[in-house]
Amino acid sequence: MCPSKTTRENTRGGRPYNAGPYLPRSGGLDAHRRAAARCQGCPLHENATRTVFGKGPESARIVLVGEQPGDQEDRRGEPFVGPAGRLLGKALEEAGIDRDEAYVTNAVKHFKFTVAPGGKRRIHKAPDLREISACRPWLLAELRLTRPDVVVALGATAGKALMGSSFRVTKDRGALLRMPGEEEGAYVVATLHPSAILRASDKDREAAYAGLVSDLSVAAKALAECEPSP
Ligand code: URA
């Protein structure tokens, strides 16, 4: 029998790309964080320093999902602590979202990079669809445990992890969406990744940043509307 397309695409040397077997059967975020530290669900664990799991309260009503840890996140073990994280913090504040009350995570939990000639700098490399789908069980577990009202997809990778591989942030950013098959679930709002704003030309940066704040404001408004009545 021919192996299915999915099986062929999601294996490497016969080993499946899948974090599923590393997930604990029970427990909260801390148990999942401990288990994720040992994840070998795809080859990215081989070169990264550590797993960077999500951070924030289990009671968070909003979850922010980025792409993958960057260089500084990989060294420090926390999501969004580098330049993109600082920009995100500023935009959240302007949109009226308290970062300390949000759960912040990434679609992919290991840093993927190439080493620059000379061997000093590690250059970010975008995760591919196999890696995104291998890591998805961790993201789904984080969403199951936090049960947020609103999820923000920061950039294309998070958009694909949450909404499916054909999702285009440029097309659907700033709209109130739901994850496919979860019509009663959390709202999803997609927006640009903060790193895309850092990379934008001087000419485009201001408008790109205003767009991020505007999309985050959509999330803030949805959050206010879902507020449990006192
Ligand atoms: N970019 C991301 O997507 N996540 C981080 O944690 C840092 C940079």
Side-chain angles (χ1 to χ4, degrees):
M1 189 174 65
C2 288
S4 75
K5 189 163 179 283
T6 319
T7 310
R8 252 187 288 134
E9 280 180 353
N10 286 336
T11 62
R12 185 188 66 141
R15 271 184 73 186
Y17 274 60
N18 181 12
Y22 296 89
L23 264 73
R25 294 239 167 90
S26 60
L29 286 173
D30 286 343
H32 282 70
R33 185 173 293 108
R34 283 194 298 275
R38 293 187 297 276
C39 186
Q40 300 188 359
C42 81
L44 296 186
H45 73 93
E46 290 166 10
N47 296 322
T49 311
R50 54 175 61 82
T51 306
V52 180
F53 203 69
K55 186 163 182 237
E58 197 151 325
S59 59
R61 295 183 49 235
I62 181 162
V63 171
L64 307 168
V65 184
E67 181 193 74
Q68 61 166 346
D71 180 75
Q72 296 198 29
E73 288 78 13
D74 173 76
R75 293 176 200 277
R76 291 170 55 184
E78 280 185 31
F80 282 105
V81 289
R86 285 191 286 282
L87 185 87
L88 175 63
K90 185 167 171 284
L92 286 170
E93 201 178 323
E94 284 185 38
I97 297 170
D98 185 344
R99 179 170 173 164
D100 292 340
E101 288 184 7
Y103 183 82
V104 182
T105 191
N106 283 301
V108 171
K109 309 290 195 254
H110 283 109
F111 180 36
K112 181 175 179 183
F113 60 93
T114 51
V115 178
K120 285 223 177 89
R121 248 166 31 86
R122 301 189 300 172
I123 301 169
H124 160 276
K125 214 169 161 220
D128 62 31
L129 279 178
R130 276 187 312 180
E131 292 149 354
I132 297 169
S133 104
C135 213
R136 198 162 176 266
W138 291 119
L139 179 60
L140 294 183
E142 289 172 299
L143 294 176
R144 181 174 49 76
L145 291 165
T146 49
R147 299 178 58 241
D149 291 324
V150 179
V151 182
V152 178
L154 298 163
T157 296
K160 288 180 198 308
L162 292 162
M163 303 299 292
S165 59
S166 56
F167 185 75
R168 296 282 169 270
V169 172
T170 42
K171 189 167 150 273
D172 281 322
R173 63 178 293 185
L176 268 189
L177 310 167
R178 306 258 193 197
M179 277 173 74
E182 303 216 0
E183 282 68 27
E184 302 292 312
Y187 284 117
V188 177
V189 178
T191 186
L192 285 188
H193 192 287
S195 298
I197 293 158
L198 293 174
R199 282 195 308 269
S201 64
D202 290 349
K203 175 173 76 59
D204 295 335
R205 192 168 307 117
E206 202 178 312
Y209 178 74
L212 172 66
V213 174
S214 157
D215 295 342
L216 290 174
S217 302
V218 173
K221 187 159 176 275
L223 206 54
E225 280 166 13
C226 295
E227 188 95 57
S229 30

